[in-house]
Amino acid sequence: MEIAVGALSGMVDALPAKLGDLLQQEYTLLSGARGDVGFLQSELGTMNAALLRCESLESPDVQTRAWVAQVRDLAYDIEDWIDLFVHRVDGGAAASPGAAAATSSSSSSSGGFLSWVRCCVNKVTTLPARHVIAIELQELKNRVIELSEQRKRYRFDPPARHAGGRSGVAAVDPRLVALYADTSSLVGLDAPVKKVSEMVVDDGTTGLKVVSISGMPGAGKTTLATAVLRRLKEENKFHCSAFVSVGQKPDIVGKTLKGILSQIGNGYAGGEDIGRLIGMLRDELKDKRYLIVIDDLWGRTEWSTLKCCFRDDNLGSRIMVTTRNDELAKECSSNSDESVYKTGLLSDADSKDLFSNKAFGKGKDCPNHLKDLYDIIVERCGGLPLAISSAAGALAHRFSKDEWERYESNLLPSSHSDELNLKQILNLSYNDLPSHLKSCMLYLSIFPNKYEIDVERLVRRWIAEGFIADARHASKEETARSYLTDLISRNLIQALHLRHNGTPSCYTLHPVIHDFIVVKSMEENFVTVLDAKKEALSTNNGTVRRLSLQNSVKQDLAGARNDMIKHARSVTVFGHANGVPRLNDMSVLRVLDLEGCNGPLCLDGLCKLILLRYLNLRGTDVSELPAQIGELRCLETLDVRSTKVKELPASIVSLEKLMHLLAGNAKLPGEISKMNGLLTLSCANVWKNTGSVLPELADLANLRELELFCDASEISGDNKTRISFSSDGFKRLKQLSIQGSLPSVAFVNSSLRKVEVLELKYEKGISDGSNGVSGIEHLPSLKHVLIEFSQKDAGATATIASVRNAAEMVHPNHPDVSVNVDGKAI
């Protein structure tokens, strides 16, 4: 069993910097406390090095795994202590190291005296809190010392290495099965083999060509490449051929280069010099038409070395590369679009054929008493060939319904060699992730199987959890989206519902990948999943750090005591609102996501969650927010769309860190123009009869995205027939979306100068046949226009024609125009 360190090492690595920031700030610590903080900072750096050493162990013992689990709990508790520190000392007023300096520089001498008096009073009034902080700090220090002593006693050294440089018994490459598979047992490969074979030989190119095969782990890349190689060898298309596997821990000299030489030449009797090997290989390939398969390529460095070996004598030689990384596949290929084959999933029919052949024998059907379970298990495999073969192998020649039920109820059961093979393949992809992507990947286990995860929801949650580091030339949102792009490229997540610019609006996980990361999350105590339809999926009896309640029913929370969940950092509920745990004692909660919960919702204790950064109540029955919600000083996202909330409390204006306010139909508070931290705003009826608040919104200095819901029946005055945007305000707005029953929308000269994306969604037609949009040529930065109509009438036709004409003939940027009518693109 490999040890579960993964995301933990990244978290521990970040703690010394957070402690360093704490020391730099002007907080009054009791005598000795500052030294204790410095000690923690130093010792955690050493401890992280030990964690990375533990991660390299192939078969850690019980003591090592127990030590890692204790370090995990300690790291969480230290981070919670740091985040709570400021709020307990001064209520979060000193949010940054420069806060005190800024105050001092702007004060007069009398103001400075008053500040000194307030500081003295604050020291006295917060003395009890600082005593508690000092006691907690001493307890954390004692735990660090104890764990450090354990590390010295156990030493956690890798096992002794045997001759040849490998420890213990060499692991068997799980891809060997694909290399020697009986071609008659392969299912669903005829069309892919034909297609890739044509890509390799049938384009008439005499120069050296590289064809890449990419896809998710277990999708059959190696099997496909092997089948193509066999076919082309049988057709005598090449003078010589070779197949070598690189792997995650490549041995370019001893395994890859010598392997190619042994297959295309007369063997190898040279030394270990890589330059000599490359020269020998090039000599062997001279004046030959060759086909080399480079299987399981992981890195650009290895490819840079390997491609030096392959000479181009214009004889039509070919290289096939298999990789899990789409970007790497493009970089290797001769033509990034035409020379990459992306493996797909098997159809339902092929999936059942493959399963039946291995579980029951070729040509035999599933017994009647197992058919329900057979359908469930095949569906759970999601068309992934390796998963189907693994499940079928584990159940082969077993006809007891009890055995099948036990198998179906477990996530990635690992008692059978086929299942161990599947887990090993998936582990390779997980272990290749950097620590920050491991955290982001494991976090997806919060969501149920086959759940469509909204991009904005996920990005904001990642940021609230502290997974996204500051970058010099990119916002946290941009960094988070780059993480998603990386996970897609690695074929670990799947994109859904592409937008106008080709970016997805949602993501999902393949069922097998989902099962895998749920198990990983349990191993790392990263997420605790409780499913009302099953027993608790988490086998961890320790402290719950992130809680996901799935299929929650109309009853009190079961399976997690209050003392177990009081340290939870996030709570997500899918199902009935009665499953929501008591909020009063959850002092370190950062994320509360109750989107779509049905039934009455109790928010008692909400305003005591001083670390809360993300609050999602979308689609719930909540009708009122607490008046004291302004006390949630860390809040970054508030979503009350599709709720019964009619008016937002006035105290929301004091939330200086609020960046995303998704208000739905709730009335906005007065003085909203003071909320300069807002980047995203979604609201309704800004042109209501009581007066337009649009001028106030225009003064929001940092607003980037604005979504307006409009009901023409509630619009007053001149806006009744036409709503317009002047040249003043919205200085940084980049995306504007207006939807509902709209009157005509007009833009005047030089209005909305930074807007790049304009979305207009008409829920009703324009029956009088008039043009619904005018003046898009006055939006100087416009790049894309999206127009949607629920029905096509004369007004829709006129509007579409007008916008397309303005985009093509008048606007200097010639922005792209996308049109959907009744859900169909036209």
Side-chain angles (χ1 to χ4, degrees):
M1 174 185 174
E2 74 287 338
I3 199 157
V5 174
L8 173 62
S9 60
M11 176 184 174
V12 175
D13 187 44
L15 284 179
K18 292 192 73 170
L19 287 165
D21 290 342
L22 192 66
L23 287 175
Q24 291 177 11
Q25 297 186 28
E26 297 182 11
Y27 297 122
T28 304
L29 293 168
L30 293 183
S31 177
R34 189 170 289 273
D36 289 343
V37 171
F39 171 82
L40 291 183
Q41 184 183 20
S42 174
E43 192 62 29
L44 283 168
T46 305
M47 197 171 287
N48 191 57
L51 276 175
L52 295 174
R53 191 176 183 84
C54 291
E55 191 173 19
S56 68
L57 299 178
E58 294 178 3
S59 300
D61 57 24
V62 174
Q63 287 180 326
T64 304
R65 290 198 293 269
W67 184 81
V68 169
Q70 291 180 70
V71 172
R72 180 182 299 114
D73 277 340
L74 174 63
Y76 279 126
D77 290 341
I78 290 175
E79 187 171 47
D80 289 341
W81 181 85
I82 294 170
D83 289 347
L84 283 171
F85 177 88
V86 178
H87 297 275
R88 291 193 295 187
V89 170
D90 61 6
S96 66
T103 301
S104 176
S105 63
S106 61
S107 299
S108 63
S109 58
S110 60
F113 175 75
L114 291 176
S115 297
W116 177 81
V117 171
R118 282 195 294 269
C119 182
C120 292
V121 172
N122 183 63
K123 288 182 180 180
V124 174
T125 55
T126 61
L127 189 60
R130 287 187 285 121
H131 271 295
V132 172
I133 289 168
I135 292 171
E136 291 174 347
L137 180 58
Q138 187 61 45
E139 292 174 351
L140 293 172
K141 179 182 177 181
N142 292 339
R143 289 169 63 186
V144 169
I145 292 172
E146 172 59 26
L147 287 175
S148 296
E149 291 299 322
Q150 287 183 23
R151 185 186 75 243
K152 294 172 184 176
R153 289 198 299 269
Y154 299 152
R155 294 185 62 82
F156 307 132
D157 289 326
R161 291 185 176 271
H162 298 263
R166 290 172 293 181
S167 58
V169 179
V172 177
D173 190 332
R175 286 171 299 280
L176 285 176
V177 177
L179 298 180
Y180 300 103
D182 179 5
T183 54
S184 64
S185 68
L186 302 179
V187 174
L189 269 186
D190 290 345
V193 168
K194 180 181 179 182
K195 175 64 176 176
V196 176
S197 297
E198 292 172 351
M199 292 170 66
V200 172
V201 299
D202 290 349
D203 67 348
T205 302
T206 58
L208 178 65
K209 179 181 178 182
V210 182
V211 174
S212 296
I213 301 173
S214 68
M216 66 182 293
K221 299 179 293 296
T222 300
T223 303
L224 175 58
T226 305
V228 172
L229 178 63
R230 286 177 182 169
R231 172 175 172 164
L232 297 179
K233 286 174 70 174
E234 290 171 358
E235 296 175 355
N236 294 316
K237 298 284 188 181
F238 298 90
H239 298 137
C240 60
S241 63
F243 185 107
V244 289
S245 183
V246 179
Q248 198 174 58
K249 298 179 180 179
D251 181 358
I252 298 298
V253 171
K255 180 180 175 184
T256 309
L257 298 184
K258 290 182 180 180
I260 297 174
L261 278 166
S262 68
Q263 294 177 60
I264 67 170
N266 297 316
Y268 173 72
E272 299 292 320
D273 182 73
I274 190 169
R276 185 182 177 198
L277 280 167
I278 292 173
M280 292 178 64
L281 183 51
R282 290 180 66 87
D283 289 342
E284 286 286 349
L285 295 175
K286 185 177 180 181
D287 297 327
K288 292 179 181 177
R289 189 183 191 207
Y290 56 84
L291 172 61
I292 310 293
V293 178
I294 307 297
D295 181 50
D296 198 32
L297 184 67
W298 288 80
R300 293 169 175 81
T301 302
E302 291 74 36
W303 175 244
S304 297
T305 301
L306 289 172
K307 67 183 181 181
C308 297
C309 303
F310 308 123
R311 61 188 304 145
D312 185 2
D313 293 330
N314 286 312
L315 296 174
S317 295
R318 299 291 186 260
I319 308 293
M320 273 198 297
V321 172
T322 74
T323 178
R324 305 180 186 200
N325 191 311
D326 290 346
E327 289 302 314
L328 182 58
K330 292 177 182 178
E331 291 179 23
C332 294
S333 299
S334 301
N335 184 305
S336 60
D337 295 321
E338 298 177 5
S339 300
V340 176
Y341 182 84
K342 183 72 176 283
T343 55
L345 301 171
L346 295 179
S347 65
D348 290 342
D350 285 341
S351 296
K352 290 183 177 181
D353 283 347
L354 178 59
F355 189 99
S356 298
N357 289 347
K358 188 162 186 177
F360 312 120
K362 192 166 184 179
K364 295 183 179 180
D365 293 330
C366 173
N368 288 331
H369 70 288
L370 297 176
K371 280 192 174 179
D372 289 345
L373 290 167
Y374 164 78
D375 289 339
I376 292 172
I377 293 171
V378 171
E379 181 183 6
R380 183 173 120 186
C381 293
L384 190 67
L386 182 60
I388 297 167
S389 296
S390 300
L395 295 169
H397 311 299
R398 299 185 182 188
F399 300 100
S400 166
K401 190 170 184 177
D402 289 341
E403 286 186 274
W404 280 57
E405 286 176 341
R406 282 195 299 272
Y407 181 92
E408 188 276 328
S409 65
N410 293 323
L411 292 174
L412 287 180
S414 55
S415 59
H416 191 275
S417 60
D418 287 302
E419 290 292 349
L420 289 170
N421 190 35
L422 173 60
K423 190 172 183 181
Q424 184 182 351
I425 289 286
L426 297 174
N427 260 323
L428 289 173
S429 285
Y430 176 76
N431 291 334
D432 188 56
L433 295 173
S435 58
H436 63 273
L437 285 185
K438 285 179 179 174
S439 298
C440 293
M441 187 68 194
L442 291 181
Y443 198 71
L444 301 180
S445 63
I446 284 175
F447 299 93
N449 188 23
K450 298 184 179 180
Y451 193 88
E452 295 188 2
I453 308 168
D454 179 77
V455 172
E456 277 72 25
R457 183 182 184 186
L458 180 59
V459 163
R460 291 163 188 167
R461 287 188 56 148
W462 276 354
I463 293 172
E465 289 273 5
F467 296 158
I468 311 300
D470 290 314
R472 182 176 297 179
H473 300 297
S475 67
K476 286 188 175 182
E477 287 82 2
E478 290 169 335
T479 301
R481 291 175 192 276
S482 73
Y483 289 2
L484 286 166
T485 301
D486 199 347
L487 290 173
I488 290 175
S489 177
R490 293 169 184 264
N491 284 290
L492 290 174
I493 63 175
Q494 300 170 355
L496 298 174
H497 312 310
L498 297 184
R499 296 189 177 107
H500 57 81
N501 58 0
T503 62
S505 60
C506 294
Y507 295 93
T508 192
L509 291 168
H510 186 278
V512 173
I513 300 289
H514 181 268
D515 286 356
F516 173 77
I517 66 165
V518 168
V519 171
K520 275 289 180 186
S521 289
M522 293 190 295
E523 290 175 355
E524 297 206 18
N525 193 25
F526 194 85
V527 173
T528 300
V529 179
L530 297 177
D531 193 329
K533 291 184 178 179
K534 304 176 183 178
E535 295 180 1
L537 294 184
S538 177
T539 58
N540 206 316
N541 293 321
T543 301
V544 173
R545 301 296 178 175
R546 296 177 184 88
L547 179 63
S548 174
L549 293 170
Q550 299 179 9
N551 300 305
S552 174
V553 294
K554 193 174 181 180
Q555 59 186 29
D556 291 333
L557 176 65
R561 304 188 311 271
N562 282 339
D563 61 329
M564 291 174 60
I565 63 174
K566 67 179 182 180
H567 293 288
R569 293 161 164 244
S570 77
V571 170
T572 310
V573 181
F574 303 92
H576 200 280
N578 268 8
V580 179
R582 284 166 42 88
L583 302 178
N584 300 68
D585 301 322
M586 306 181 75
S587 60
V588 297
L589 196 69
R590 277 89 163 168
V591 172
L592 181 60
D593 192 338
L594 308 178
E595 180 172 325
C597 285
N598 50 69
L601 190 62
C602 177
L603 296 179
D604 292 349
L606 175 66
C607 296
K608 295 180 180 180
L609 307 178
I610 57 176
L611 297 184
L612 193 66
R613 299 168 187 166
Y614 181 93
L615 177 58
N616 184 2
L617 303 173
R618 184 178 187 178
T620 65
D621 287 342
V622 66
S623 58
E624 186 178 10
L625 294 178
Q628 300 80 19
I629 198 170
E631 295 177 8
L632 301 178
R633 298 189 182 186
C634 293
L635 196 64
E636 298 169 349
T637 299
L638 174 61
D639 191 345
V640 293
R641 291 173 293 179
S642 302
T643 65
K644 299 176 182 177
V645 176
K646 295 181 179 179
E647 185 172 356
L648 298 179
S651 64
I652 279 182
V653 176
S654 65
L655 295 175
E656 296 180 358
K657 294 186 178 182
L658 192 66
M659 294 184 289
H660 310 288
L661 177 56
L662 312 172
N665 288 316
K667 180 182 177 182
L668 298 175
E671 300 184 323
I672 192 172
S673 59
K674 294 182 178 180
M675 300 183 72
N676 288 325
L678 281 184
L679 301 177
T680 307
L681 176 62
S682 174
C683 57
N685 300 323
V686 296
W687 297 280
K688 211 165 183 179
N689 294 328
T690 52
S692 174
V693 297
L694 197 63
E696 282 194 67
L697 303 186
D699 290 336
L700 291 170
N702 294 299
L703 195 65
R704 302 293 196 276
E705 297 181 22
L706 178 61
E707 181 180 47
L708 301 173
F709 294 89
C710 179
D711 184 349
S713 64
E714 297 187 355
I715 295 177
S716 61
D718 295 337
N719 292 323
K720 194 78 175 177
T721 57
R722 189 175 86 156
I723 55 178
S724 61
F725 291 84
S726 67
S727 58
D728 298 327
F730 296 113
K731 302 295 185 184
R732 297 188 179 182
L733 192 67
K734 289 191 173 184
Q735 180 169 325
L736 173 64
S737 175
I738 309 176
Q739 55 185 296
S741 54
L742 307 182
S744 174
V745 180
F747 303 99
V748 302
N749 191 27
S750 297
S751 62
L752 306 180
R753 298 192 61 84
K754 294 291 182 69
V755 167
E756 298 176 359
V757 178
L758 174 64
E759 297 181 349
L760 300 172
K761 302 178 182 180
Y762 294 80
E763 292 181 359
K764 296 181 180 179
I766 307 176
S767 57
D768 61 3
S770 61
N771 178 15
V773 185
S774 62
I776 68 165
E777 65 272 15
H778 298 315
L779 306 179
S781 300
L782 193 63
K783 296 179 180 178
H784 189 88
V785 182
L786 171 65
I787 302 179
E788 292 186 2
F789 284 95
S790 60
Q791 61 191 44
K792 190 169 185 179
D793 54 21
T797 301
T799 300
I800 294 168
S802 172
V803 169
R804 282 180 167 162
N805 180 70
E808 294 171 6
M809 307 300 294
V810 182
H811 201 292
N813 297 344
H814 306 296
D816 295 328
V817 177
S818 300
V819 178
N820 291 320
V821 176
D822 193 23
K824 298 178 181 178
I826 63 171

